[in-house]
Amino acid sequence: MGRKVTVATCALNQWALDFEGNLQRILKSIEIAKHKGAKYRLGPELEICGYGCWDHYYESDTLLHSLQVLAALLESPVTQDIICDGVFVSGVTLSPCCRKILLIRPKMALANEGNYRELRWFTPWSRSRQTEEYFLPRMIQDLTKQETVPFGDAVLSTRDTCIGSEVCEELWTPHSPHVDMGLDGVEIFTNASGSHHVLRKAHARVDLVTMATTKNGGIYLLANQKGCDGDRLYYDGCALIAMNGSIFAQGSQFSLDDVEVLTATLDLEDVRSYRAEISSRNLAASRVSPYPRVKVDFALSSREDLLEPLSEPIEWKYHSPAEEISLGPACWLWDFLRRSQQAGFFLSLSGGVDSAATACLVYSMCHQVCEAVKHGNQEVLADIRSIVHQTGYTPRDPRELCGRLLTTCYMASENSSRGTCDRARELAQQIGSHHIGLSIDPAVKAVMGIFSLVTGRSPAFAVHGGSSRENLALQNVQARVRMVVAYLFAQLSLWSRGAPGGLLVLGSANVDESLLGYLTKYDCSSADINPIGGISKTDLRAFVQLCRERFQLPALQSILEAPATAELEPLADGQVSQTDEEDMGVTYSELSVYGRLRKVAKTGPYSMFCRLLVLWKDTCSPRQVADKVKRFFSKYSANRHKMTTLTPAYHAESYSPDDNRFDLRPFLYNTRWPWQFRCIENQVKWADAAFLPAKYLSRKHQLISIED
């Protein structure tokens, strides 16, 4: 009897509503799986229509075209001699022998937190271990000669094994379906996912799968979307195959390949012997309620597999957060560029860390494009030729490619220093971007001239005796002029060089500045897309350091060493007189702490104060902690309205303030927070009475916490 099975799982770059492209990628993945000897192929969640259709799920067209693609799959000879399991609206499993639908397994736990809104469009199946007969649409009946198919919570029984499916979120629930399925004899678990990238998330995903098979034994296949599905999210692949707590196949987390298929050849007897010696599991299995079984007259193994070598376990290779930043947003940029049919990017390069990081992401993208072409990726080659409008072009040098795709511009004003200008120019030279230097002073003077002509008043900077309102307005007009200039050059700079096409404008505001609102509404942070908008300043600095070493860009060292500054106020003897942290009244490291407490820990002003009173007890007095928290919430709430116009940004951080879907809050607050701040003040009085200031305490006493 055969006992070795070869199974396949996929990571596909499926685009929302791209039915033609999605069909071709599904067929290609099945062909690859069969070529590698697989008898079972798993695809990602909602692979026919794409995961990110959002309110298009309400449209009958989405259902109609999905059914048409399903019919095309049933008609294709490619789907013969293999069980094809994917997700259409629910899990649809195709028969390998007679082009029939074996089972529709609906999702039982819907993701509805963070960026997910599945309960808006779908209803979960709530009848555990029950099925009903589902009447197929006529176009499918005509092909399969089936009137109905089983619909519900069931498993497949082939001649040699048992297969059970769970869908994405179900792996993350407290009592996942694989637990009871495994106890009921299911040996192969499959999970069709639509899981997007967040920094440091891969560990959790891998741990869930390995732990599932460690406790219960079995083979686990996870498929996932990959790429940008048309919005702020990047789906990061990481398809995998695990057995009995070990990984046997690892897919790439970031790549430009639209189709990636993993296979592993595993021995079902290894699952059975692993389970046999876990007596506690076997006792639990004797009490479990059985699942309905759909019998399939097909075997995943065969006698001919006897000499087939088995796959060996491997160690999962993780990227560092800096590496994740260098790869994920770069792949996201590539998908936006090729699908928007634009000719490149325009970036206002200020000589600071944020815009330098954005430039480095484009340069990293160019590296990945050259590597993909070098390794024979014909889709990437065709896309880049279309972007640069040259049918015979083949990119080989990332620096040369960056010169074609990235236009950088240093927009100087009378408040700009020589240092930032030099740093921007040096970085542009080293990455190869087409660089422009210009002065915005004539435009700023023209705008202020209109104001003075109408009002008869001329505002002044604070250093020249002006009020804070005048000072802020004079800074904002510079920032907003830069946005206008950026869009003008994005539309016409290629035209001026005799080249076709326009450019996507890139923003470069980080997640910490957005959280506090330390940006001008409709300034250079306003752009088409922002690859760093979901990344903290701390992580960005680590990424820039990585780029300095990996890409040999020495200009980045001086950028890292320079103080962060907006350069919107007058210089003092030719030197920068304004720094970001001084302007904000808070450090970037503190902003990261505030951000995680506000969003991840879900604290308001009072709870945040209580947390920080303990966290910062060795460095700050209760009064200092109170002042910091009140300052943050006052500025955060006053500037929250800016989040409503924030440029669409790559989602990478768990405390992103993105107002579109992830962080739903009011944008008009009582910025005085009278009740909350009064509670803080009452706690400060108690803390001051209970404890002496930290600087008067001995080292021993400094270890006392507020709970003591």
Side-chain angles (χ1 to χ4, degrees), residues 67-249:
L67 288 168
Q68 290 169 337
V69 172
L70 180 59
L73 288 169
L74 287 163
E75 286 184 298
S76 173
V78 174
T79 56
Q80 285 187 311
D81 302 319
I82 187 170
I83 295 179
C84 295
D85 194 350
V87 176
F88 157 42
V89 172
S90 305
V92 178
T93 306
L94 306 185
S95 168
C97 306
C98 49
R99 299 183 190 175
K100 293 184 180 296
I101 296 174
L102 297 171
L103 169 68
I104 300 177
R105 197 284 192 176
K107 196 169 182 179
M108 301 181 68
L110 301 184
N112 210 56
E113 70 285 339
N115 286 297
Y116 294 103
R117 291 290 181 274
E118 291 177 0
L119 282 170
R120 180 179 174 93
W121 309 292
F122 304 113
T123 302
W125 180 258
S126 58
R127 289 150 56 188
S128 176
R129 298 174 179 80
Q130 295 183 45
T131 64
E132 62 183 41
E133 289 300 303
Y134 175 78
F135 284 81
L136 292 169
R138 281 180 296 175
M139 72 170 76
I140 304 299
Q141 289 185 26
D142 293 342
L143 287 170
T144 66
K145 309 308 178 186
Q146 298 168 279
E147 184 179 21
T148 64
V149 296
F151 182 106
D153 186 20
V155 298
L156 300 180
S157 284
T158 66
R159 292 184 206 156
D160 51 358
T161 190
C162 189
I163 305 169
S165 299
E166 56 186 13
V167 186
C168 197
E169 175 72 7
E170 293 169 12
L171 173 62
W172 301 75
T173 58
H175 191 84
S176 298
H178 69 254
V179 176
D180 287 341
M181 286 193 297
L183 294 175
D184 192 35
V186 171
E187 295 177 324
I188 300 176
F189 311 106
T190 67
N191 188 310
S193 283
S195 180
H196 65 77
H197 175 237
V198 175
L199 289 174
R200 306 169 180 89
K201 179 182 177 181
H203 292 75
R205 192 185 292 142
V206 174
D207 289 347
L208 283 169
V209 171
T210 54
M211 186 55 64
T213 58
T214 296
K215 293 193 298 182
N216 211 355
I219 298 168
Y220 201 109
L221 283 70
L222 185 140
N224 195 17
Q225 297 259 14
K226 66 185 303 187
C228 169
D229 197 13
D231 66 358
R232 296 159 172 81
L233 307 180
Y234 178 82
Y235 298 88
D236 58 336
C238 285
L240 64 86
I241 300 174
M243 182 177 72
N244 298 345
S246 298
I247 301 293
F248 284 81

